[in-house]
Each structure stands twice: as structure tokens, then as C-alpha cells.
Amino acid sequence: METVETLHMNKGAGETSYAMNSFIQRKIITLTKEATEKAIMEILCSRREPIMKMGIADLGCSSGPNALRVMSEIVEAIYAASNMLDRPAPKELMLYMNDLFTNDFNNVFASLPSFHKRISRKNGDDSRNNGYFGSNCFVSAVPGTFYGRLFPTKSIHFVHSSSSIHWLSRVPSGLEDKNGKGLNKGNISISKKSPNCVLEAYSQQFKNDFSCLLESRSQEMVYGGRMVLSFLGRQSMDHTSSNCYYQWELLANALMTMVSEGLVEEEKVDSFNTPYYASCYEELKTEIEKEGSFMVYSHEAYEVDWDDGMYLQSDNDILGAMSKGERFSRTMRAGVESILKYHFGNHIMDELFQRYAILVEDHLSKTRAKFFNLIISLVKRH
Amino acid sequence: METVETLHMNKGAGETSYAMNSFIQRKIITLTKEATEKAIMEILCSRREPIMKMGIADLGCSSGPNALRVMSEIVEAIYAASNMLDRPAPKELMLYMNDLFTNDFNNVFASLPSFHKRISRKNGDDSRNNGYFGSNCFVSAVPGTFYGRLFPTKSIHFVHSSSSIHWLSRVPSGLEDKNGKGLNKGNISISKKSPNCVLEAYSQQFKNDFSCLLESRSQEMVYGGRMVLSFLGRQSMDHTSSNCYYQWELLANALMTMVSEGLVEEEKVDSFNTPYYASCYEELKTEIEKEGSFMVYSHEAYEVDWDDGMYLQSDNDILGAMSKGERFSRTMRAGVESILKYHFGNHIMDELFQRYAILVEDHLSKTRAKFFNLIISLVKRH
């Protein structure tokens, strides 16, 4: 199954939409801000001549407020850095918003007029001859998978990606025996109970995908360009040490309670595997060195509580009244429902995520559950 | 009222969608094909060096099958011309799909995987490293009004626009007296009964808009770039000679029958005016010469029957069983419903377009109603 055909964050702006349930991702964007600002400063001060046209890409921009928030912060960082260096800012900024074909770009575009107004007000710029285009930012949407070519050759100076590259391009092959029976029985992701061949298959798929990402960006980026990748990963080479798949394990548990009540077939669960992989720094470094076009400038890691970012939801009355378990369940649903629906059907979704909320609430009452978020900053070498 | 906030072709792929009801526009695209092919040939043979990155923009691409059909034809024309000239085709094609922020780009993107597959199969090209990206075409969506800047400086070689520039950027100001009463009483567009000041206001708005379009493209296009504009216009300087607003007059009549039955307030009709203007070649030429960056390479005009393109609908059982009046009413509704809804509310739409269908059917039974479609091909001078 190709991720490109099935994965998208929940569309629109309704109760179960990604737009309304992406506060953890927003929190992670704020963690990435410093690395982004540093990378932009380095791009601008490493050149003698000012940049005329600067190409900026956000890979896996999603929909909802996070999408344009990232771009706003990047544009502000460019102006702030130019100001600090006492150099003219790039004359034109080409802002490419990338996500899969099925992403809700309509939702992103609806906020573009106010994005342009905000940017031009901040920068006191009125170079564009139209009320909606008071900025020198040319925003476009580039739909497609970032594990392949997306942009013209040597057109990009800065690539940003947050909460995206933990998604693989496809569910790895080799997760079934020769009779078509699932080898990752009772699980839907890597877990402590997964056999070795499953870990291997996932790891191989990640290597293939990540090297495609590097090769594609290598062709698209200019010399000295920078790439900041932020994503959910794991702490060490051991696949299961830091509970980095525990959000999936609980979802598998919720599915198995439905199996035990005859609401879902066991085989359906055994044959489902999520295209998600939590990589570690050592793995990334090996692939980066093998591909050869990029150099690691810096890397850092943060622990992010499962309920982090939820304070950002307190404005919202409905979400404010919910338990942490329910809120985490909504966040998870907004991100993964599309692939689950495709396999299990729409009819079990409400029930599944209600059960999931209870399991998460119970888990959070016993422990401080955390994600391990990695940020790596790369420089294009040649 | 800014068109940018209200005008969009009906979304999705349902019964009243533009995707399902844009056969006249498709017919017009086929009429424009020859001018497009000529322009592309001229671009390619006017240069000594082969073009490496070729920028192509479609202004007002809309949604549904027409959007990618235009791009497919342009790409094919580029390959055919390169072949005929025995030169290498441009290495990378940047295909910019433009329409207003509220256009249904999601619908366009859903067909992109098959677009890429078709293009790469036709050209036997496998330069992109992913199944969905077997072509060297980089497609992006650029939302915004084409009466302002959309693309970076000197990045575009060819601009295409079909069935779009008859839409003004806004309803002209000056259509009310000082007490706020509508001056274009009983009409919703220019009509034989419109007072002179209304004609003047529309004409002025068109001049402003068209000169903005020329100025913006002038900055964005390379020297020797070409622009092919195809749109509904009129035959002579006389605004009402060729019944070029008759589709709107019938819609005003349908509204007035609802006024007479107390279903719509008369003042509501008097205060509504559509942001639509049918220009003539002489007017365009004057603005092109005044702006100075472009030269007219050729211009032509076609009469298009109101029921032209309907034979393309015969595959569709539901549409096939409808009267011509009903089908034309659907086409009109798919294009103009958004602005009517905004003013009159959603509740009268079904009733209005049923009445409209009857008036159109009656009109078509008495006369062969025609649109006057203009095509101008321009060259960027310097």
C-alpha cells in the first residue's frame, strides 16, 4: 500500500479535523524554531551577494493553522536575519507548500489572503499592486511525495519539515508469510512483541525512503542550502527501548478489545501495519554519509509529553472539557484516521477512538508518556 | 465586492459541480489549441539555445477535467514542437495552475497522479525516481488573482487563459446613486436597458483590470514570452450589438419573475451586478498599446453556440435526458452560483435555475443563440 494514496490529515475544520487537533504538532514546530532561525542566518551570511530569489519549501505542510504558521515564521526569520546582518532581504521569496495529493490544500488557501496581509503589514512592504498581494512572497502548493522530485533543479535554498518524515512512503513489504498471513500478529506497528524480520523490513523501508529524500533534495537545492528536519524518532539503536511506538501499541490494544468482542476480525488486525517509523540519529547519519550530498550541521532531541500543547487548547470550550485521554485520542485520530478507514472501514472509527481514549487516559494516569522528537540540521555540500 | 472573495466555480464532482458542467468551456479550450500550439512553436524556435527550465502558467485554471486537460495539451505541444524542430525539449517544465483562493484545487490535485503517469508514458520519460513522478513536469498551484503579481520576476515563458478574463476583479463602483439605489434597475449586467453611466463604470473597471493583468505579466514573463488569452467578448465597440450579455439578461428575467411573485425583493435585484464584462478587440488593443510591454501577434474570433459542447455530455445519462435549456442552466449555475448565493442566499438557487432553464429553452427554440469568443495571442516585447 502506497502512503501517497491513503494518508492525509483529517480534512476541513470540523470536530475531528487535523486543523482543530494538531496542538502537539504545533508545540513541535515551536521546538524547531531555533534550528530554523540559525539555518536561515547561515544561508544569508554565507553569501557575498544578496539573494534575489530565495526558494523555501515546507515538506508535509498539512492543513490547518500549522501550515501557514511555519511559513510565517520562516519569512519573519529571513527579514530578522537580513536586518541583523544589515543587508537587503531577498527581493522575492518563493514559498512552496508541499504535501501529498490528498492533503486539504483548499483549507490552507482559504487563509492565504490574511497571510499576505499580515506579512506585508509586518514588513511595511507594498511592492505588489493588489490588496491581497502586498508582500513579495509567492506562495504555491506543490502536491506530491517528498520521497521523489518535487521542485526544479537548484531552485531551493531552505527546506523545512516538521512531523512528517516519520511517515514512510509505503507499508514495508515482507510483513506477510508465503501464505499471506501477517507476521506482525496482534500489532499494527513495530512493538516489543514484533519478530526480527518485521524490524528489518521497517528499517529497510526507512533507509530506502530517506535516501530518496536526500537524493531528490540534493538535485533541487543550491550549494550551501540548508535543511531542517524535525520528526518523532527514537533514542538509541534499540527499536523498542524508549516506548517510541507506544501510541500505536495502545491503538492495537483498542483494536484487539474489539476483536475479542467480535466487532473486528482478528485477521484484519494482523494484516494491518502502519507506514510509520521512528528512526534514530545513528541511522540517519549513516544514510546521510552514504548519499554524500549533505553534512550534518547540528542535531538535537527533545522529549515532548503526550499531553504537551494541550494547554493551547484551553481556549476551546469543547476540547477544554475533555479528559487528556480524549484529547490525545482526537489528535491521533486527526493524523491516522485516513489509513485506518481505508483498511477497517469508516464504521468502526468512533468506537475505536473512544476505546483508545480510555486506554490512553489510563496510561497517562500511571506514567508521564513522552515522544522523542529529533531535529537535524543539514547543509548541502556541493 | 471583490470577486476574489466570492467567485469560484462550483466545487467537487457532484450534479451541480463545475467539473460535471463545463462542456462549453471545454469546447472553447479546443478552439484555443491552435493559437497555443503556434505560440509554443514560436517560443521554441525564436531561441538559439534550448530552454532548460520553461515556466508555463494557466490563469483561471478552475477545477474538474478542463484544468489538467489544458496543461496536458500544452506539454504535448512543447514535445511535438521540439520534435518538429529537431531540438531537445526543455529539461524541466514548471507548470503553474492559477485560480482564486476559493477554487477547488483539491479536486485538481486528485487527478495529478494520473496526469503524471500519462505524460511520462507519452514521452517515454523516466527521469523522476518515483512512480508518481515519472515526468519532468513540476506542477504547482498558485492561488490568487491574476490582476496582480502571482509569479517571480522573469520566470514565465508561456501564459494561457481560457474562459477567465471576462471576469472582472470586482463589481465596478458607481453603480448606485447617492442614496444607495441601484442605477442598473432590473438588470444584473450590462443590457440594452442599462443607462450610459453603467456602461462607463463597467468599461472603466475592465480597463483598470486588464492593465493590471498586463503590468503583472510584463514583470513575470521573459523576453519573447507568449500569452494566449481566450474569453467571451463582443463583436464591436457597441456594448449591446451582439447580444453578448443575453445569458445574463435571461437570468435577470428569471429573477424578476420571482420578484413578481414576492419570492425575491426587487431591491435585491436592483443592487446586484455581476463582475462580468465582454470586451472587444479594439478596447484590448488600446490597453495593450498603452501599457507597452506586449505586441499583438494574432487575434481571432469564433461564434460558439450556447448548446455547443453539449454533444460531449451524451455519455452522461442524466445530462443526456435533459433539455438544452436545462443543460445550459446547469452550465451557467456551475459558473455563477457562488456570487449569486453570496447576494441572494442559497435558498432560491434551485428555483431560480429551474426558471432560468425554461427561459433558455424558450429562447433556444426561437433562435440560434451564440457566444462570441475572442482569442488574442501576445508577444512580450522587452
Side-chain angles (χ1 to χ4, degrees):
Chain A
M1 186 189 67
E2 303 267 355
T3 308
V4 74
E5 286 160 9
T6 50
L7 178 68
H8 58 79
M9 302 302 105
N10 276 357
K11 301 186 183 207
E15 236 180 59
T16 59
S17 67
Y18 183 80
M20 293 295 285
N21 297 282
S22 45
F23 294 96
I24 296 179
Q25 291 87 343
R26 177 171 158 190
K27 170 75 188 180
I28 290 168
I29 288 168
T30 64
L31 294 178
T32 315
K33 206 176 165 188
E34 203 184 310
T36 295
E37 287 171 347
K38 255 192 205 160
I40 284 169
M41 178 61 91
E42 294 282 341
I43 293 169
L44 294 178
C45 69
S46 68
R47 273 151 219 275
R48 287 198 196 155
E49 298 295 316
I51 300 170
M52 297 302 283
K53 289 182 192 179
M54 186 169 178
I56 291 132
D58 187 25
L59 308 181
C61 66
S62 76
S63 55
N66 287 345
L68 286 169
R69 179 169 291 125
V70 166
M71 277 302 180
S72 291
E73 288 181 1
I74 292 173
V75 172
E76 278 166 37
I78 292 168
Y79 279 96
S82 304
N83 215 3
M84 206 177 286
L85 295 167
D86 200 17
R87 282 177 168 215
K91 241 187 140 119
E92 297 184 339
L93 302 178
M94 281 113 80
L95 308 179
Y96 301 103
M97 320 268 298
N98 157 259
D99 209 308
L100 292 173
F101 300 108
T102 48
N103 182 51
D104 191 356
F105 283 105
N106 287 354
N107 169 290
V108 179
F109 292 163
S111 308
L112 262 184
S114 57
F115 167 84
H116 280 296
K117 274 184 195 160
R118 203 168 51 243
I119 293 282
S120 55
R121 207 171 38 237
K122 280 209 172 160
N123 302 318
D125 176 5
D126 55 3
S127 60
R128 301 274 282 276
N129 57 4
N130 184 291
Y132 286 98
F133 285 89
S135 79
N136 60 347
C137 296
F138 298 92
V139 182
S140 61
V142 180
T145 168
F146 48 66
Y147 296 124
R149 283 292 301 273
L150 291 168
F151 313 106
T153 303
K154 292 195 197 305
S155 61
I156 307 289
H157 295 74
F158 179 60
V159 170
H160 174 275
S161 177
S162 186
S163 298
S164 299
I165 73 157
H166 43 239
W167 293 109
L168 299 171
S169 74
R170 50 169 295 140
V171 174
S173 52
L175 299 184
E176 291 174 349
D177 67 15
K178 50 189 175 190
N179 301 318
K181 291 243 168 187
L183 292 168
N184 200 20
K185 235 178 125 41
N187 305 314
I188 60 172
S189 67
I190 289 178
S191 92
K192 288 194 171 102
K193 294 167 279 174
S194 298
N196 241 331
C197 60
V198 169
L199 304 184
E200 267 307 308
Y202 266 102
S203 164
Q204 194 51 53
Q205 186 62 46
F206 170 76
K207 284 177 193 166
N208 293 351
D209 283 344
F210 191 61
S211 67
C212 282
L213 184 146
L214 293 173
E215 277 166 33
S216 302
R217 298 301 84 72
S218 159
Q219 292 174 56
E220 295 161 356
M221 289 175 71
V222 301
Y223 166 74
R226 303 263 166 164
M227 174 148 71
V228 172
L229 305 173
S230 173
F231 51 94
L232 298 184
R234 66 183 203 277
Q235 222 152 353
S236 71
M237 287 299 275
D238 177 4
H239 280 281
T240 54
S241 63
S242 56
N243 278 331
C244 54
Y245 293 98
Y246 206 71
Q247 71 275 30
W248 294 104
E249 291 186 44
L250 286 181
L251 194 58
N253 293 351
L255 280 164
M256 291 310 284
T257 65
M258 293 178 80
V259 167
S260 68
E261 292 172 33
L263 300 170
V264 173
E265 286 170 45
E266 189 163 8
E267 279 185 4
K268 264 297 210 208
V269 179
D270 292 345
S271 63
F272 179 78
N273 289 288
T274 179
Y276 176 94
Y277 184 76
S279 59
C280 68
Y281 176 62
E282 289 71 22
E283 272 176 305
L284 291 157
K285 205 169 160 237
T286 306
E287 291 310 309
I288 291 164
E289 284 169 2
K290 207 192 287 174
E291 195 276 330
S293 321
F294 293 91
M295 207 170 64
V296 178
Y297 174 76
S298 68
H299 65 107
E300 50 194 321
Y302 294 93
E303 287 187 331
V304 181
D305 287 326
W306 281 19
D307 55 357
D308 219 335
M310 282 191 189
Y311 63 90
L312 297 166
Q313 297 176 320
S314 51
D315 289 351
N316 184 313
D317 287 345
I318 301 167
L319 291 170
M322 283 182 176
S323 73
K324 284 182 179 180
E326 284 169 314
R327 283 194 272 177
F328 186 83
S329 175
R330 285 233 186 173
T331 303
M332 189 72 173
R333 181 174 183 170
V336 310
E337 186 172 10
S338 61
I339 46 172
L340 290 166
K341 257 188 195 169
Y342 186 82
H343 187 85
F344 293 102
N346 192 25
H347 60 288
I348 68 156
M349 292 299 124
D350 285 341
E351 180 67 29
L352 173 62
F353 284 98
Q354 276 160 26
R355 288 171 187 239
Y356 185 59
I358 294 166
L359 295 178
V360 171
E361 182 67 16
D362 178 58
H363 182 61
L364 290 176
S365 73
K366 292 181 203 149
T367 183
R368 196 170 156 193
K370 286 169 182 180
F371 289 120
F372 185 76
N373 194 76
L374 265 160
I375 303 171
I376 54 167
S377 181
L378 306 177
V379 191
K380 172 87 194 298
R381 297 168 77 158
H382 42 69
Chain B
M1 186 188 68
E2 304 267 356
T3 308
V4 73
E5 288 159 7
T6 50
L7 177 69
H8 57 81
M9 302 302 105
N10 277 357
K11 301 184 182 206
E15 234 179 62
T16 59
S17 68
Y18 183 81
M20 293 294 286
N21 297 281
S22 44
F23 295 95
I24 296 179
Q25 292 87 344
R26 176 170 158 191
K27 170 76 190 181
I28 290 168
I29 288 168
T30 63
L31 294 178
T32 314
K33 206 176 166 188
E34 203 184 311
T36 295
E37 288 170 347
K38 256 193 203 159
I40 284 169
M41 178 60 90
E42 293 282 339
I43 293 169
L44 295 176
C45 69
S46 67
R47 274 151 220 274
R48 285 197 198 158
E49 299 295 317
I51 299 171
M52 298 302 284
K53 289 181 192 178
M54 186 168 178
I56 290 132
D58 187 27
L59 308 180
C61 65
S62 75
S63 54
N66 287 344
L68 286 169
R69 180 169 290 126
V70 166
M71 277 302 181
S72 292
E73 288 181 1
I74 292 173
V75 172
E76 279 166 35
I78 292 168
Y79 280 96
S82 304
N83 216 4
M84 206 177 287
L85 294 167
D86 199 18
R87 284 178 167 213
K91 239 186 143 123
E92 297 184 339
L93 301 179
M94 281 114 79
L95 308 179
Y96 300 104
M97 319 269 296
N98 157 259
D99 209 308
L100 292 173
F101 300 106
T102 47
N103 183 52
D104 192 355
F105 283 105
N106 287 354
N107 170 288
V108 179
F109 292 162
S111 307
L112 263 182
S114 56
F115 168 84
H116 281 296
K117 274 184 196 160
R118 205 169 50 241
I119 291 282
S120 54
R121 207 171 39 236
K122 280 208 172 163
N123 303 317
D125 176 5
D126 56 1
S127 60
R128 302 274 284 274
N129 57 3
N130 184 291
Y132 285 99
F133 285 89
S135 79
N136 60 346
C137 295
F138 298 92
V139 182
S140 62
V142 180
T145 168
F146 48 66
Y147 296 124
R149 283 293 300 273
L150 290 168
F151 312 106
T153 303
K154 292 195 197 307
S155 60
I156 307 288
H157 294 73
F158 178 60
V159 170
H160 174 276
S161 178
S162 186
S163 299
S164 298
I165 73 158
H166 44 237
W167 292 109
L168 298 171
S169 73
R170 48 169 296 142
V171 174
S173 52
L175 299 184
E176 292 174 347
D177 67 15
K178 50 190 174 189
N179 302 318
K181 291 243 168 185
L183 291 168
N184 201 20
K185 234 178 126 39
N187 305 313
I188 61 171
S189 68
I190 290 177
S191 93
K192 288 195 170 105
K193 294 169 279 174
S194 298
N196 240 329
C197 61
V198 168
L199 305 184
E200 267 307 307
Y202 266 102
S203 163
Q204 194 53 52
Q205 185 61 47
F206 170 75
K207 286 177 192 166
N208 293 350
D209 283 345
F210 190 62
S211 67
C212 283
L213 184 147
L214 293 173
E215 278 167 33
S216 302
R217 299 300 86 71
S218 158
Q219 292 173 57
E220 294 160 357
M221 289 175 71
V222 302
Y223 166 74
R226 303 265 166 163
M227 174 149 70
V228 172
L229 305 172
S230 173
F231 51 94
L232 298 184
R234 67 184 202 278
Q235 222 152 352
S236 71
M237 287 297 275
D238 177 3
H239 280 280
T240 53
S241 63
S242 56
N243 279 332
C244 55
Y245 293 99
Y246 205 72
Q247 73 273 32
W248 293 103
E249 290 184 46
L250 287 181
L251 194 58
N253 293 351
L255 280 164
M256 291 309 285
T257 65
M258 293 178 80
V259 168
S260 70
E261 292 172 33
L263 299 170
V264 173
E265 287 170 44
E266 188 163 8
E267 279 184 4
K268 258 313 210 197
V269 178
D270 292 345
S271 63
F272 178 78
N273 289 288
T274 179
Y276 176 94
Y277 185 76
S279 59
C280 68
Y281 176 62
E282 290 71 23
E283 272 176 306
L284 291 158
K285 205 170 159 237
T286 305
E287 292 309 309
I288 291 163
E289 285 170 2
K290 208 193 283 174
E291 196 275 329
S293 322
F294 293 91
M295 208 169 63
V296 177
Y297 174 75
S298 68
H299 65 105
E300 49 194 320
Y302 295 93
E303 287 187 331
V304 181
D305 288 327
W306 281 19
D307 55 357
D308 219 334
M310 282 188 190
Y311 63 91
L312 298 165
Q313 296 175 320
S314 51
D315 290 350
N316 183 313
D317 287 345
I318 301 168
L319 291 170
M322 282 182 178
S323 73
K324 285 183 179 180
E326 284 169 315
R327 284 195 270 177
F328 186 84
S329 175
R330 284 233 187 173
T331 303
M332 188 73 173
R333 181 173 182 170
V336 310
E337 186 172 10
S338 62
I339 47 172
L340 290 165
K341 257 188 195 168
Y342 186 82
H343 187 85
F344 294 102
N346 192 26
H347 60 289
I348 69 157
M349 291 300 123
D350 285 341
E351 179 66 29
L352 173 62
F353 284 98
Q354 275 160 28
R355 288 172 187 240
Y356 185 59
I358 295 166
L359 295 179
V360 172
E361 182 67 15
D362 178 58
H363 181 61
L364 290 177
S365 73
K366 291 181 205 150
T367 183
R368 196 170 156 194
K370 286 170 182 179
F371 289 120
F372 185 77
N373 194 74
L374 264 160
I375 302 171
I376 54 168
S377 181
L378 306 177
V379 191
K380 172 87 192 298
R381 298 170 75 160
H382 42 70

